[in-house]
Amino acid sequence: MSASTTATLRHDWSLAEVKALFVQPFNDLLFQAQTVHRAHFDANSVQVSTLLSIKTGACPEDCKYCPQSGHYNTGLEKEKLMEVQKVLEEAARAKAIGSTRFCMGAAWKHPSAKDMPYVLKMVEGVKALGLETCMTLGRLDQEQTQALAKAGLDYYNHNLDTSPEFYGSIITTRTYSERLQTLAYVRDAGMKICSGGILGMGESLDDRANLLIQLANLPEHPESVPINMLVKVAGTPLENAEDVDPFDFIRMLAVARILMPKSHVRLSAGREAMNEQMQALAFFAGANSIFYGEKLLTTANPQADKDMRLFARLGIQPEAREEHSDEVHQAAIEQALVEQKSSEQFYNAAV
């Protein structure tokens, strides 16, 4: 299968085709992924997002990977929904250190009627700062989805996590069809989709392939596809899960790039455990988006200045939004790094 034939958008991938991509020689796979990547993106540009937990802990879902689940004792402090002004202050700091998209995550099964007005004000306020907006709030109904779109939400994150076949081994409190329905509501409301999955939960190669098939065979590909490496947290059922082979993780990124040529493939949770060489290989495999800051949702993330040093060594530039030139954007980053202070609000998002 040539790289040129896979650079077109397809929505009819079969398991046999995708497994054939996974098992081909590593160098051939990366060459194919890089060729597809260059057909649609600047190969030396990476989109930068910051993620903030606006409501932490006590989630009623039983996702076996998640320290925010109320089913497990992980020592995580429960927090109420953040005040709107505090969220906007964090968004301004994220913009100052170079992020172009601000993602807000709440540990909910679904947002309540009493919380929605505050959530909508957060979206409106972050949008007014000139940032792209993204939220992950759990399951949405059609009315909530339309309200978020009207407030100006650009992206909604709702991960499928794994294949339909393996899903029941990881989560029992929400069905796969419910996740797909939320994605359909998001798309119908005119918002962009951020949806991906997690490696390292005991899934098979078939499960990894079928996860990507679910995403690639949607009527429209997700604009953002986060690929997470499980962050093992004491107290969760997966705290002793077997480590993911680094080359297998890179293969997942490369196949995602080939199946969804125009999507941003995000190197997401687990990046703290990756050395610079592995991250560089991930970018070569087609990853072109990262979370940026001290933390994702509840786990560590490489510090912003460390990321910028790696970018400089690799000749990578943060992807600027269209209304800003690269020079202006880079100058803002460099100035912000001089003034940067630590923040306890940024966190790693494997949910």
Side-chain angles (χ1 to χ4, degrees):
M1 188 182 300
S2 70
S4 60
T5 61
T6 58
T8 56
L9 297 183
R10 288 182 51 189
H11 305 271
D12 60 351
W13 291 93
S14 70
L15 179 59
E17 286 179 301
V18 176
K19 286 182 69 175
L21 291 173
F22 269 103
V23 301
Q24 67 179 310
F26 188 74
N27 285 345
D28 292 349
L29 174 61
L30 261 63
F31 178 76
Q32 185 172 344
Q34 177 67 194
T35 303
V36 171
H37 184 63
R38 285 174 179 269
H40 297 280
F41 290 99
D42 178 348
N44 297 306
S45 180
V46 171
Q47 189 276 326
V48 175
S49 299
T50 293
L51 180 59
L52 175 71
S53 181
I54 60 174
K55 188 271 176 185
T56 303
C59 181
E61 304 280 20
D62 66 353
C63 310
K64 290 184 178 180
Y65 53 80
C66 186
Q68 301 211 62
S69 172
H71 294 258
Y72 317 125
N73 181 16
T74 63
L76 185 69
E77 293 292 330
K78 302 172 185 177
E79 299 175 2
K80 296 180 180 179
L81 183 66
M82 285 182 69
E83 296 177 2
V84 174
Q85 185 57 37
K86 290 183 178 179
V87 172
L88 299 185
E89 290 170 1
E90 293 300 331
R93 292 188 69 248
K95 183 177 181 180
I97 63 170
S99 289
T100 57
R101 187 179 307 156
F102 192 68
C103 306
M104 295 159 275
W108 288 326
K109 185 180 180 69
H110 53 79
S112 67
K114 70 178 179 64
D115 288 321
M116 275 300 291
Y118 301 102
V119 167
L120 297 176
K121 286 186 179 297
M122 292 176 191
V123 174
E124 291 168 353
V126 173
K127 189 80 171 177
L129 291 172
L131 288 163
E132 289 182 319
T133 54
C134 179
M135 279 195 158
T136 178
L137 309 170
R139 188 184 73 236
L140 297 177
D141 61 32
Q142 196 165 21
E143 183 179 354
Q144 290 171 327
T145 312
Q146 291 171 348
L148 288 167
K150 186 177 180 180
L153 189 65
D154 296 299
Y155 287 81
Y156 193 74
N157 168 254
H158 202 57
N159 288 340
L160 295 182
D161 290 344
T162 189
S163 70
E165 296 77 14
F166 190 60
Y167 183 83
S169 301
I170 303 299
I171 303 157
T172 66
T173 51
R174 181 190 300 166
T175 66
Y176 212 82
S177 61
E178 285 177 319
R179 289 184 182 259
L180 291 171
Q181 180 62 73
T182 292
L183 294 182
Y185 284 150
V186 169
R187 187 62 82 192
D188 289 344
M191 290 183 288
K192 297 174 183 177
I193 288 176
C194 175
S195 187
I198 307 170
L199 271 66
M201 300 188 295
E203 73 283 346
S204 66
L205 176 60
D206 280 13
D207 292 318
R208 293 174 184 177
N210 277 323
L211 165 64
L212 294 180
I213 288 170
Q214 285 289 318
L215 296 167
N217 287 356
L218 288 171
E220 293 182 66
H221 294 162
E223 284 79 4
S224 181
V225 181
I227 303 297
N228 300 276
M229 183 182 291
L230 176 69
V231 177
K232 292 177 279 189
V233 178
T236 63
L238 294 177
E239 63 176 300
N240 295 314
E242 185 177 346
D243 289 344
V244 177
D245 179 275
F247 292 119
D248 289 344
F249 186 83
I250 299 299
R251 284 181 181 274
M252 185 74 171
L253 295 170
V255 176
R257 167 52 62 221
I258 294 167
L259 267 59
M260 292 167 278
K262 293 186 177 181
S263 303
H264 278 82
V265 176
R266 176 174 293 148
L267 183 59
S268 198
R271 198 161 60 89
E272 174 68 16
M274 301 176 194
N275 62 26
E276 291 184 336
Q277 291 77 16
M278 184 176 175
Q279 291 187 63
L281 204 55
F283 295 135
F284 188 76
N288 63 337
S289 177
I290 63 167
F291 278 123
Y292 182 64
E294 307 303 321
K295 300 177 80 177
L296 293 187
L297 289 178
T298 56
T299 57
N301 197 46
Q303 295 181 357
D305 56 348
K306 184 178 179 181
D307 286 334
M308 284 298 103
R309 288 196 299 269
L310 177 59
F311 276 19
R313 293 176 67 191
L314 298 178
I316 287 175
Q317 295 289 329
E319 182 180 281
R321 293 194 65 185
E322 290 183 0
E323 63 266 33
H324 300 299
S325 69
D326 289 341
E327 292 80 6
V328 171
H329 190 68
Q330 185 64 26
I333 293 171
E334 292 170 354
Q335 177 61 32
L337 289 176
V338 174
E339 303 171 356
Q340 183 185 354
K341 298 177 182 178
S342 62
S343 166
E344 295 180 356
Q345 297 290 347
F346 297 121
Y347 68 106
N348 226 2
V351 297

